[in-house]
Amino acid sequence: MNETIQAGAAPDYPQLFGHPRPLWMLFMTEFWERFAFYSVSWALTLYIVAQFYHGNAAGQAWASAIFGAYTALIYGTGIFGGWVADKLIGYQRTILLGAVVMAAGLFALALPSRTMLLFGLALVIVGDGLFKPNISSMVGQLYARDDDRRDRGFTLFYMGINAGALLAPLLTGWMAAHFTHTPMQQNYRLVFLTAGVGMVFSLLWFWFGRRQLKDVGRPAPEQSSRVRVLWVALGALVGVPLVYLLMAKVGATGLQWILGLLFVVVAVALLAEAMRHDRVQVHRVLAMLIIFAFNVLFWMFYYQLGTSFNFLAENLVNRRMFGGWMFPVGWFQSVSPLAIIVLAPPLTLLWGWLGKRHREPSIPRKFGLGLIFNAVGFAILVFALSRLLGANGLIPFWPLVMCYVMQTLGELCLSPIGLSMVTKLAPPKLVGVAMGGWFMSLAVGGNLSGLVASRISGTHGMTAASALSGFAFSFWLLAGAGVVLLLISPLVNRLMHGVK
């Protein structure tokens, strides 16, 4: 890592709208990568049930397990991507290599067989593991460590993520339904091809824009050999069949043990590095790990959006709009990013207004609020399934929409703040590994989300009764965790030693 960054400084960049100009280049690079990712996310489980189970709801459990494993491994491989960037070839080269591998996987998904489905997902997972943690780390490196614009910069970057997430289901959902004038279930492969094109855009955007970054993200002198890039590329190719076997043979339960072990390894590495510094750094890493544990619970239920929420929307929600038009299932997943784009600016202003009055909630309190808002979303679904279920076996349209909005409020309380928190609390030499640890907590939550969704669907598919039971469990666990975190937040704040 560049010595000036370790010292807490940052290059003197030209400014655009009050932030370093390279932020906006990273914004658009992430926009197209998220467009690709969320195109796959909304379609994956629906494609599996339609393509390999001919629409039979019995396929929901396997589809949910695959989605959970895919989501988990997307984030779990981030720890390796962070290590590659920190120790081997630098951030910029790691991002470029990841983009190439991910694009190849997205195009492979369009080939209609289970083998190619899992092989394509394995390529996407390995590529995104190289890409995702490192572009987030680079946002933090654009600012000096004590720059109070850092949190706002991450929030703006997060809006780029969600602009891509908003466009993906709307555009690819429409294309799947209408582009070739055949039924949607025959055109999910078009979604994957479009996602591949989006990833190529991301690659090109970063390739041509990376000069703006100056020395940030470039390999250190001892990392400059291009032979290192070749070895990393070969390592990525070896990793693809390993990831394939994890999804195809190990299964979600076995994967959970592996992810748990990796999480422990990350924690030990961060604590060992912190102990080389002083007691304050050790305390900060402990605070970060506590937050990571609660983060697992948030994403365990948030990622129902790709599984149980999809099946709820398809089978138990009245989607008939004015004039008999049917609201597409995939479009529900544009509700959250739209809400983020709408709510992120006023929420950022609210935090700033409270901060000037020394009333802004601390990082752990924001995480506690995030868990509570997520719980409220499930409470709305529980109310709808217990009180609003019609004679046709459907609930109204609005409860699922409101659930997404409440989850979005929760996400805004913790996710952009979490990215910034890692860059503040991590040992300076292991920022990439710590960012990988953040995504590892998402990985554990993502895999657990697939297990929960599989349990809700059971062997015959989701019913109103199974959804009610599963969502009630989700509410109580989230609400309880949120209350606990709010109660222990003074302790966590003391461990952070003044980091805001």
Side-chain angles (χ1 to χ4, degrees):
M1 187 180 295
N2 187 283
E3 291 180 2
T4 60
I5 297 170
Q6 290 187 41
D12 184 19
Y13 291 116
Q15 303 295 297
L16 182 64
F17 302 121
H19 289 271
R21 186 181 294 272
L23 174 68
W24 306 103
M25 183 274 293
L26 296 177
F27 177 105
M28 287 305 301
T29 302
E30 182 76 349
F31 170 92
W32 284 112
E33 185 273 338
R34 289 292 90 182
F35 172 87
F37 177 80
Y38 282 101
S39 292
V40 174
S41 292
W42 81 259
L44 182 58
T45 54
L46 299 175
Y47 169 71
I48 289 172
V49 173
Q51 179 72 32
F52 304 118
Y53 291 87
H54 307 290
N56 190 324
Q60 292 178 6
W62 189 74
S64 295
I66 290 297
F67 181 89
Y70 162 69
T71 303
L73 290 167
I74 277 280
Y75 292 115
T77 51
I79 181 60
F80 300 106
W83 181 80
V84 166
D86 278 334
K87 301 297 185 181
L88 296 181
I89 60 174
Y91 290 86
Q92 292 188 22
R93 289 177 170 181
T94 306
I95 288 168
L96 289 169
L97 180 61
V100 171
V101 176
M102 189 177 174
L106 292 166
F107 288 120
L109 288 176
L111 301 174
S113 75
R114 288 198 189 208
T115 298
M116 291 310 300
L117 170 75
L118 296 178
F119 178 71
L121 290 176
L123 281 166
V124 173
I125 287 164
V126 171
D128 210 51
L130 294 169
F131 185 103
K132 183 64 178 169
N134 295 310
I135 196 161
S136 300
S137 295
M138 290 185 69
V139 172
Q141 295 175 29
L142 300 179
Y143 301 88
R145 184 168 284 239
D146 59 352
D147 191 331
D148 61 6
R149 298 175 302 163
R150 181 189 289 239
D151 280 2
R152 294 192 290 276
F154 270 103
T155 299
L156 288 169
F157 179 71
Y158 207 66
M159 288 180 68
I161 293 173
N162 285 280
L166 168 65
L167 180 63
L170 295 177
L171 178 60
T172 58
W174 172 81
M175 290 175 68
H178 301 292
F179 195 77
T180 56
H181 303 289
T182 56
M184 177 181 268
Q185 61 266 27
Q186 297 181 29
N187 285 288
Y188 287 118
R189 294 191 295 277
L190 182 61
V191 175
F192 303 142
L193 289 172
T194 306
V197 172
M199 198 63 227
V200 171
F201 285 162
S202 177
L203 170 64
L204 294 175
W205 202 281
F206 188 77
W207 175 267
F208 289 109
R210 71 191 192 282
R211 290 187 181 87
Q212 300 177 29
L213 294 165
K214 300 183 179 179
D215 289 336
V216 167
R218 288 190 177 182
E222 67 274 11
Q223 301 173 348
S224 60
S225 172
R226 294 184 179 179
V227 175
R228 283 178 171 243
V229 179
L230 178 61
W231 281 112
V232 171
L234 291 173
L237 292 177
V238 171
V240 170
L242 293 177
V243 172
Y244 175 93
L245 290 173
L246 285 174
M247 289 188 291
K249 302 298 183 182
V250 174
T253 302
L255 181 58
Q256 196 61 41
W257 284 101
I258 294 172
L259 291 171
L261 178 61
L262 288 174
F263 194 82
V264 171
V265 170
V266 171
V268 170
L270 291 171
L271 285 170
E273 177 64 25
M275 291 171 66
R276 297 176 184 174
H277 291 259
D278 52 26
R279 183 174 61 89
V280 170
Q281 187 64 72
V282 172
H283 286 177
R284 285 176 173 171
V285 168
L286 287 173
M288 185 168 61
L289 294 175
I290 291 170
I291 295 295
F292 283 178
F294 284 95
N295 195 49
V296 167
L297 285 175
F298 181 89
W299 298 102
M300 173 179 172
F301 297 106
Y302 180 91
Y303 281 125
Q304 298 304 308
L305 61 84
T307 52
S308 62
F309 287 3
N310 250 356
F311 300 132
L312 179 78
E314 188 172 47
N315 301 307
L316 295 172
V317 173
N318 185 356
R319 296 181 285 113
R320 191 167 297 280
M321 302 286 104
F322 300 106
W325 174 69
M326 292 292 287
F327 188 89
V329 172
W331 284 16
F332 277 104
Q333 293 193 32
S334 287
V335 174
S336 288
L338 176 61
I340 284 179
I341 292 169
V342 171
L343 296 175
L347 190 61
T348 301
L349 292 174
L350 175 62
W351 296 148
W353 183 82
L354 290 172
K356 290 179 181 179
R357 290 156 178 79
H358 307 289
R359 303 280 301 273
E360 183 178 2
S362 63
I363 289 173
R365 286 195 174 97
K366 286 179 179 177
F367 269 74
L369 291 173
L371 289 163
I372 296 295
F373 281 127
N374 199 348
V376 171
F378 280 95
I380 293 170
L381 291 181
V382 169
F383 171 77
L385 288 164
S386 60
R387 301 293 182 89
L388 303 179
L389 195 67
N392 57 0
L394 304 177
I395 63 173
F397 178 84
W398 65 266
L400 183 54
V401 172
M402 287 305 301
C403 176
Y404 276 113
V405 172
M406 297 310 298
Q407 284 193 319
T408 299
L409 281 172
E411 184 182 0
L412 281 170
C413 286
L414 61 84
S415 196
I417 306 305
L419 294 173
S420 179
M421 173 199 72
V422 169
T423 64
K424 294 176 181 178
L425 296 178
K429 290 184 178 179
L430 289 184
V431 172
V433 172
M435 194 66 75
W438 165 259
F439 290 113
M440 183 67 69
S441 69
L442 274 74
V444 175
N447 193 60
L448 287 171
S449 77
L451 293 172
V452 169
S454 293
R455 180 65 63 90
I456 293 173
S457 289
T459 57
H460 302 294
M462 176 186 286
T463 64
S466 69
L468 176 59
S469 174
F471 295 158
F473 166 78
S474 305
F475 163 75
W476 286 112
L477 188 53
L478 281 167
V483 170
V484 168
L485 184 51
L486 290 173
L487 290 175
I488 68 169
S489 59
L491 169 63
V492 180
N493 284 328
R494 286 196 293 272
L495 290 172
M496 292 169 67
H497 289 277
V499 169
K500 302 293 185 183

